Amino acid sequence: MRILGMDSATGACSAALWSDGAVVARRFAAMDRGQSEVMIPMVQAVLDEAGVAFGQLDGLGVTVGPGAFTGLRIGLAAARGIALASGLPLVGVTSFEAVAHGVPAAERSGCPLLVALESRREDIFVQSFDIDLNPLDIPRAVRPADLDLPEGPWLIAGDAAARLAAALGAREGGMPACLRVAAGPGLPDAAHVARLVALRGLAGAGEGPPQPLYLRPPDVTLPPPRTR
């Protein structure tokens, strides 16, 4: 199975091709802005490196968030445009899932995983996973100081992991010894998006185009229409 993965939901932009059990081409760049200029060239570079045309793909995968509003919409728009033009099925993967599956099994060491993503505001986005990376709760936005974790060993991953660890450490008694922060930048990677879609299959594409996952209301809302 050949799956093209794409991501620009948070602080990076990436594209990757999964083919018959492995990632065969990948591009990744950390960036807060400019994804709209590099996403499609990245996709084309990945396909050119692998010697694969759009017509030889089986499907597409894209992150649906949460993340930065602009970057998230860029990735979704690019993926939807390619899916529409090529007739390929498109499946969404959350940013939490992409980050969780990017943590090596050896680093997790049988610990449940808490993924903490930056919202670029006072709160952060969080979701926890068991040792097999099955979700333990629903995605939510929470202030770091207000997060209440069950007892036990936890590994924290994601680009807000350090901020969360600092907030937990500032509590009375400091950060519990049973908490560890995962190595790496904690950003979603299209390589893990493509792998997840390939492993799960394309059945989810029949549910309609992937929708963005927002965990807070928009900062600006339109006024209600005037009534005569």
Side-chain angles (χ1 to χ4, degrees):
M1 179 176 284
R2 287 174 173 164
I3 301 294
L4 174 67
M6 289 169 279
D7 167 71
S8 62
T10 60
C13 186
S14 60
L17 180 66
W18 174 276
S19 180
D20 298 328
V23 172
V24 296
R26 170 182 175 266
R27 295 291 186 277
F28 180 95
M31 58 175 61
D32 289 327
R33 299 177 182 83
Q35 292 95 331
S36 60
E37 287 80 17
V38 302
M39 172 58 79
I40 296 302
M42 269 190 177
V43 167
Q44 192 60 60
V46 163
L47 294 180
D48 289 346
E49 179 182 331
V52 173
F54 283 108
Q56 296 173 294
L57 298 174
D58 295 294
L60 309 168
V62 66
T63 42
V64 297
F69 179 84
T70 301
L72 175 56
R73 302 299 296 192
I74 288 169
L76 280 170
R80 288 174 179 174
I82 293 172
L84 182 63
S86 63
L88 290 168
L90 172 61
V91 178
V93 172
T94 72
S95 302
F96 295 114
E97 293 173 311
V99 170
H101 284 266
V103 180
E107 186 174 11
R108 288 188 279 114
S109 300
C111 289
L113 180 69
L114 177 70
V115 177
L117 302 177
E118 275 294 348
S119 71
R120 304 182 186 180
R121 286 179 171 72
E122 184 179 5
D123 58 4
I124 58 175
F125 304 136
V126 297
Q127 187 178 22
S128 57
F129 297 81
D130 66 16
I131 60 174
D132 297 316
L133 299 184
N134 299 306
L136 291 171
D137 50 26
I138 62 172
R140 63 200 187 280
V142 62
R143 293 194 307 171
D146 295 337
L147 182 66
D148 186 19
L149 273 178
E151 292 186 8
W154 285 90
L155 180 65
I156 308 174
D159 61 347
R163 181 154 74 101
L164 175 58
L168 295 176
R171 292 178 177 176
E172 185 177 354
M175 181 172 168
C178 60
L179 298 183
R180 295 182 295 119
V181 176
L187 297 169
D189 189 325
H192 304 303
V193 174
R195 176 178 175 271
L196 274 171
V197 173
L199 295 178
R200 292 175 178 176
L202 298 167
E207 300 171 2
Q211 299 300 312
L213 174 60
Y214 297 127
L215 296 182
R216 67 151 65 93
D219 294 328
V220 178
T221 57
L222 296 175
R226 293 181 178 180
T227 57
R228 294 184 179 179

